[in-house]
Amino acid sequence: MEIINRKIIIATHYLVYGAPQALRDYLMNNKIKKLLFIAHPLQIDGSKSYIEIIIDGVVLSKKNFKIRSRISFFNYFLDVFSTFFWIILQKDHFDLFVGVDCLNCLVGIILKKIGKVKKTIFYTIDYVPERFRNKFLNNFYHWLDKICVKYADETWNLSQRMAEGREKIRGLNQKIYNRQKIVPIGVWFDKVKRLPFDQINKRQLFFLGNLSENSGVHLVLDAICEIVKELPDFHFLVVGGGEYEKKLRDQVVTLNLEQYITFTGWIKDRNRLDEIMADSAMAIAMYNGEVKMLTYYADPTKLKDYLSAGLPILLTNIPHNAQEIQNKKCGFIVEYNKDAVVQAILSLCKDEDTLRQYRDNAINYSRQFDWNIIFKNNLERVL
């Protein structure tokens, strides 16, 4: 049976556009027979849970539900109950359930047991040894993770490190728990906006993401004091927000760097984000290796965004693909300190031939991560 005749469910939590939404769009573009997309908010900010019923690639209906508690922990149980309830109300039986995170996947495993769905995928978007500071909650989370890896037909990991982490930290032998597959983060390659090399701002560095104490942005701010001595037209464009934003803005004022830096805040309009990213020459992704982060096990979305837009990356050796990015000459591994940042930025900005070469390499390297390729290959195997 071709994918067009399939009935599929995706259950996820949401904050911004990510892999679950990309999978939804892929299935819609392929006009599958029926798709349920169920999404629950990660934040208690007035956002609502919702369900989309999509028939032959067209959204037939979308219903919003505000079933939230002020106590975050209780919301997880409300989400599980509402997902199960909404699916049970459907008269159809489904070919595939994709549960993004262990709670959503648990619903799929139960639905498979009662015959409502044929197969279940555990889509692991993030994995970290210490998900919760509370020891009981953390052990419960990893117990659920183990259940899902054991009983799901496949587990989709963003990187090999996720399977390695489960084995090393929780004892999940990969030879026994052997249905774990690597399904990396992708991009809609043909939709990415790119500018010709002669139209980009060759002195502009770009950052996208959460502004935390360990994002490395403060190192760039310190580095700019040295950089502008040789490149007075240098500019740093920062897109994002977070708990550390005010301190970074104060640092800019203290260092008298206002003319060299722009903070835009979060940009939710993807077209607008693509436009300002396309104008930059390079990007930065500094992760503090002394801090336990999701990044070590995951596949950071912004790296693929940078590469597909043609932005060479200056990054620390934390992401699983950092060495590959450097080996493919799409970026440079940089130590987590100010002097290393200064040297990396100056060397790339002053050498336009290298900048052009690395830009072309980044675009070519990112072609393999087109969502169409990723989802086609993996769904064909499952279905």
Side-chain angles (χ1 to χ4, degrees), residues 321-347:
N321 51 355
Q323 287 289 344
E324 184 175 39
I325 288 171
Q326 178 167 270
N327 293 341
K328 296 291 184 180
K329 296 185 177 181
C330 304
F332 298 92
I333 292 176
V334 180
E335 294 295 323
Y336 193 80
N337 63 69
K338 184 196 76 171
D339 293 338
V341 172
V342 171
Q343 183 178 355
I345 292 174
L346 287 177
S347 62

Side-chain angles (χ1 to χ4, degrees), residues 221-232:
L221 301 186
D222 287 335
I224 290 175
C225 298
E226 302 296 324
I227 292 169
V228 295
K229 293 177 182 178
E230 298 188 42
L231 300 174

